[in-house]
Each structure stands twice: as structure tokens, then as C-alpha cells.
Amino acid sequence: MRIIIAGGHGKIALRLAARLREGAVGLVRNPAHVADVEATGAQAVVCDLETASVEQVADILRGADAVVFAAGAGPGSGAARKDTVDRGASVLMADAAERAGVRRFIQISSMGAGKPPAGGDEVWAAYIAAKTAAEDDLRRRDDLAWTIVRPGRLTDEPGTGLVRLAPEVPPGAVPRDDVAAVIMALLDNPGTARRTYELVSGDTPVIDLVATNE
């Protein structure tokens, strides 16, 4: 499989690339991040999703089996970049996937998307609004076999391989290792297309849980 990962230098993306190795292509904005992606065994391509055209991204996507959108404006960014990256770059990737004929599209969103933001500040509200808008955009696309994953609070603890994955789960945390494992399992299970899942740590092995959600 050839999997294009938007936001290829992110913590989840690097973990996923390490699992896919030569099957992954990580898109990075900063050329200084190429070496980190290549250290996982994956290929790196420099592409700024805030300035690239649909056709430029489609050229990268052609021949791929799936797209994983793992990009985000990141900590310290303001409300404006939440929109241009968390929403705008997702819409760009989806447009490019359609143009390139890549149907499978997995979106890493956030628990809390789809609802009015609970607490937080203006930037948090903009983040949730951007994630919600990106999800809504995907759901309107008949040509994409999309799956949306909304992880809970992300941690860098070692993964356990045990999670809870369902349309709605209680709030909780989940290691980034386990998010990457879930994405891997979803890529291997096309029966999960056109579904939205929330994800936290749990007591069911990833492979078993994804298979039962087909």
C-alpha cells in the first residue's frame, strides 16, 4: 500500500509512518523535518498545504491507496491557523484525493468536534469549529470512502493495544501509539468507511475492535 500522510511530522503521523515504513509518504511543510520522516523508513515530500494548489497535491496523491489527514496547526498557533490548517488543509486534501482518484480517506479529528466547544478559550473554540467544518466537508463527498476518528486527550505513554472505539465514548485519554495502531487497522478494514468514531483507551484489542465495527 502507498499511504499519503498529511502533517507527516506530527507525533501520530511519525508513529504511523514507522508502522508503514516504505509504504508511507509523509507531507511536511518544513524541509528540516524531512530527515525525521525518512528515519521511520518512509518517504518525505515537502508540501505546504496552506499555499499548495489542488493540482499540486493531486500530483503527489496519484497512484496512492489512501490518504490519512493528520495535519494540525499545533500548539501555540492562533485561531486563524486553526481554520487554514485544521479545516482548509483538510478540504484541500479531500479535493486533491477526488481529483487524483484516491477514494480512501481517514481523518484524524478530535473528541468534541461536532458539538459546541465546552470551556476553553477563543483558540480552542476555533479549533473545534475547524475540526467540525472539516468533518462536515468530508460527509458531503460521495466519491470518498472516508472514516473520521476523534481521539480523546493524547498522551505519549507507550501504547497498550487496548482501546475503546465507538460512535460515542466517555471522555478519556489515549496514547498516540494506539491512535496510530487504530489508523493502521482502519486502513486494512474498508468496511469502516463513512463512519465516525471516538477513541480512548479501553480493554479491547485494536484489531478485534476495528473488525467488529465493520
Side-chain angles (χ1 to χ4, degrees), residues 191-206:
T192 59
R194 306 193 74 80
R195 300 189 187 184
T196 301
Y197 298 108
E198 294 184 345
L199 170 65
V200 295
S201 292
D203 55 12
T204 305
V206 168

Side-chain angles (χ1 to χ4, degrees), residues 8-68:
H9 193 254
K11 292 183 178 181
I12 294 173
L14 289 172
R15 287 165 167 81
L16 178 61
R19 291 171 178 267
L20 290 164
R21 297 188 62 76
E22 65 274 5
V25 179
L27 305 188
V28 296
R29 179 176 60 87
N30 187 343
H33 293 160
V34 166
D36 291 338
V37 175
E38 292 179 341
T40 69
Q43 178 186 353
V45 173
V46 177
C47 178
D48 186 344
L49 296 177
E50 290 181 272
T51 60
S53 69
V54 172
E55 189 55 40
Q56 286 172 328
V57 179
D59 284 344
I60 298 170
L61 267 55
R62 286 190 175 93
D65 297 289
V67 170
V68 175

Side-chain angles (χ1 to χ4, degrees), residues 104 146-149 163-169 182 185-186 189-199 204-214:
R104 192 74 170 109
W146 52 263
T147 302
I148 296 167
V149 180
V163 297
R164 188 169 182 181
L165 181 77
E168 189 170 355
V169 301
V182 167
L186 291 171
N189 287 269
T192 59
R194 306 193 74 80
R195 300 189 187 184
T196 301
Y197 298 108
E198 294 184 345
L199 170 65
T204 305
V206 168
I207 298 298
D208 293 346
L209 193 52
V210 170
T212 60
N213 274 283
E214 281 196 79

Side-chain angles (χ1 to χ4, degrees), residues 15 19 155-163 173-182 201-202 204 206:
R15 287 165 167 81
R19 291 171 178 267
T155 77
D156 289 325
E157 296 175 5
T160 65
L162 302 174
V163 297
V174 61
R176 290 178 173 87
D177 283 346
D178 286 336
V179 178
V182 167
S201 292
T204 305
V206 168

